[in-house]
Amino acid sequence: MKKKGSPYIFFTTIPVMSLLFLPVLSLLLKISPDVFISSLRDYNICQAILLTLSTSSLSVLLIFLLGTPLAYLMAWKNFRGKRFFSVLIDLPSVLPPAVAGLALLIAFGRRSFSGTLFDTLGIEIAFTPIAVILAQMFVSSPYYIKSAMNGFSMIPADLIEAAEIDGASEWKAFKDIILPLSRRSIVNGILLSWARAVGEFGATIIFAGNYPGRTQTMSLAVYLGLQGDLNKAITLAVILLVISFIILFTANKNLFSYELR
């Protein structure tokens, strides 16, 4: 049974909570509602919002489709080099954003092997919306894959063995047992990946550039707004803050409701 916190414990949390809370509060109080609504009428802001929501949603969909098999492989199969691949999956989450962007540019730029190959097919990647999606996928995929891995690994092996004894194929056991029982971990992973993709900045600006209406996401528009119109930058920052809070609140609510059962 959880105990109530003592007043001393609460007192010791004030410095860190203040550090976390005051910047958020200051940002919210910096702009008036009238200026906020007025800024939303700006065409470039609307473009940045639409581009961010569309690319991040597509990125998360692709992460789910392509990352789920990888998460299943890492959770249920033993193979040589598994530890290396586990570290490789985590690497984008700790890699400096500038390094991530540079690596993507070198890997998929026009002068790279893959860039030349795509160019022959008439597909341009760097400094296009495709680059935005790839950058978002690169930095946010670890959050989904690791969450899905944790969910898959918690499924009792006895259930899978019983299903196999009853004649269920590996795909049927995955579809009917593993996926449903891991749905909370999957949903949490999707939400966390989406939050990370929405706020992606460093890798995107290097790999995709900062072109309004083409590759300029909300984070990039905030950076550009700091050099010009501060009100527009604050407006987009507040929108990003609200979106991130809603996503994380939903993820935590989903996790806590699971723990209380």
Side-chain angles (χ1 to χ4, degrees):
M1 182 178 180
K2 295 183 179 180
K3 298 180 180 179
K4 294 183 178 180
S6 66
Y8 173 75
I9 295 296
F10 283 115
F11 179 77
T12 59
T13 65
I14 291 177
V16 174
M17 292 303 297
S18 298
L19 176 63
L20 298 175
F21 180 70
L22 287 178
V24 173
L25 180 63
S26 300
L27 181 63
L28 293 174
L29 297 178
K30 182 64 177 179
I31 189 169
S32 65
D34 292 338
V35 175
F36 179 83
I37 294 175
S38 177
S39 298
L40 287 178
R41 300 191 183 103
D42 186 271
Y43 180 69
N44 288 333
I45 287 182
C46 293
Q47 281 188 318
I49 295 173
L50 180 61
L51 180 66
T52 301
L53 295 179
S54 59
T55 55
S56 61
S57 298
L58 182 56
S59 297
V60 171
L61 176 61
L62 292 173
I63 289 171
F64 170 73
L65 294 176
L66 302 176
T68 301
L70 177 58
Y72 172 76
L73 177 69
M74 295 295 296
W76 280 89
K77 305 296 181 180
N78 291 317
F79 54 91
R80 184 176 299 177
K82 183 175 181 179
R83 180 176 297 180
F84 170 80
F85 282 104
S86 180
V87 174
L88 190 63
I89 291 170
D90 278 328
L91 189 60
S93 62
V94 299
L95 202 63
V99 176
L102 182 59
L104 287 168
L105 184 60
I106 293 175
F108 298 102
R110 287 183 175 180
R111 297 183 179 179
S112 67
F113 173 78
S114 59
T116 303
L117 179 62
F118 282 112
D119 189 55
T120 58
L121 299 175
I123 301 174
E124 187 177 352
I125 296 180
F127 306 107
T128 68
I130 298 176
V132 176
I133 294 172
L134 289 179
Q136 292 172 345
M137 290 180 63
F138 183 80
V139 300
S140 61
S141 58
Y143 298 91
Y144 171 76
I145 295 173
K146 284 296 182 178
S147 181
M149 282 174 56
N150 290 335
F152 293 161
S153 62
M154 292 177 64
I155 305 300
D158 295 344
L159 290 178
I160 308 302
E161 293 175 359
E164 291 176 349
I165 291 174
D166 288 339
S169 64
E170 184 176 10
W171 163 246
K172 186 171 179 59
F174 175 75
K175 179 174 64 72
D176 295 340
I177 299 176
I178 296 179
L179 272 182
L181 293 179
S182 305
R183 64 184 181 278
R184 292 186 180 274
S185 296
I186 291 174
V187 170
N188 278 347
I190 289 174
L191 292 173
L192 292 176
S193 293
W194 191 25
R196 181 64 183 88
V198 166
E200 161 52 28
F201 172 80
T204 304
I205 197 171
I206 294 177
F207 183 41
N210 190 5
Y211 303 106
R214 180 175 170 87
T215 63
Q216 187 180 87
T217 59
M218 284 192 281
S219 296
L220 301 183
V222 169
Y223 174 76
L224 188 63
L226 290 174
Q227 305 172 16
D229 192 334
L230 183 60
N231 286 330
K232 292 180 181 179
I234 296 176
T235 298
L236 287 168
V238 170
I239 295 174
L240 283 170
L241 175 65
V242 172
I243 291 175
S244 299
F245 181 85
I246 292 174
I247 293 174
L248 292 176
F249 184 83
T250 304
N252 278 274
K253 182 179 179 181
N254 182 55
L255 179 61
F256 290 153
S257 64
Y258 174 74
E259 290 179 346
L260 290 174
R261 291 189 176 185

